[in-house]
Amino acid sequence: MASRIAIDVWEARFVKSHKGRLTEKHAYLARTLDRGYVAFGECAATAELRALRELRSAISKQARLARARAKRAEDYQEFLRSRCARGRYDSAHRVDLASYERWLPKHLREAFRHYEEGVPLRVIENEAVDLVPSLDDRHLADLIYQLDRDVARAEEETDRQALDRWFGGGG
């Protein structure tokens, strides 16, 4: 695929002072039409190529950042999926919606308000996977910390109930 990038090129003259002497310099100034990238050169073609190089460098950097963000999201989603799959707590365990409201989009907050006794933790864990791309690092860390606390609490409660059934039913 070919693309066209419009560049303005101007002939420029400037005065340079060096050791008390003034000299006139001749060069070219090139600028992309979006005015984001400017370059100087000894000839018009050099200035134009330098401006294009700056533009392409910025495009490559944006692409690298986008790939890194996508990889980050993919890694965290896989982490949350694997965590959810190995959870060893009662799937009926419920948590308070207020603990998760700040991360949830409005439509989910509204839907989850219909749960009378709190939201099932499994539902929150599954929704967390989908939230990963929309959260920055700080919010994602906060969400994972909150999930860790609630999962630990749910596992303790499940273990306690199992022990109560084991020892309560055996004696």
Side-chain angles (χ1 to χ4, degrees), residues 41-126:
E42 299 286 323
C43 67
T46 303
E48 183 178 358
L49 286 174
R50 287 180 182 165
L52 285 172
R53 195 173 294 132
E54 288 293 320
L55 174 66
R56 288 192 179 116
S57 174
I59 290 170
S60 295
K61 182 178 179 181
Q62 289 173 346
R64 280 192 307 274
L65 290 174
R67 284 191 301 272
R69 279 192 303 269
K71 176 75 171 124
R72 170 196 161 274
E74 185 179 300
D75 290 347
Y76 274 111
Q77 284 176 321
E78 184 56 37
F79 166 73
L80 288 172
R81 278 189 200 102
S82 67
R83 223 182 90 136
C84 191
R86 68 174 186 266
R88 55 177 187 83
Y89 60 87
D90 183 7
S91 61
H93 182 82
R94 305 210 174 231
V95 294
D96 185 22
L97 177 60
S99 301
Y100 293 92
E101 278 186 328
R102 65 181 169 160
W103 298 293
L104 296 172
K106 184 179 179 182
H107 70 281
L108 286 177
R109 287 192 307 262
E110 296 299 321
F112 290 165
R113 283 197 176 101
H114 294 290
Y115 285 100
E116 292 178 12
E117 306 259 334
V119 183
L121 183 55
R122 289 270 188 230
V123 171
I124 294 290
E125 278 194 300
N126 286 327

Side-chain angles (χ1 to χ4, degrees), residues 9 19 26 31 33 73 75 104 115-116 124 161 171:
V9 179
K19 295 184 182 180
H26 176 82
R31 178 185 75 181
L33 285 184
D75 290 347
L104 296 172
Y115 285 100
E116 292 178 12
I124 294 290
Q161 289 172 353

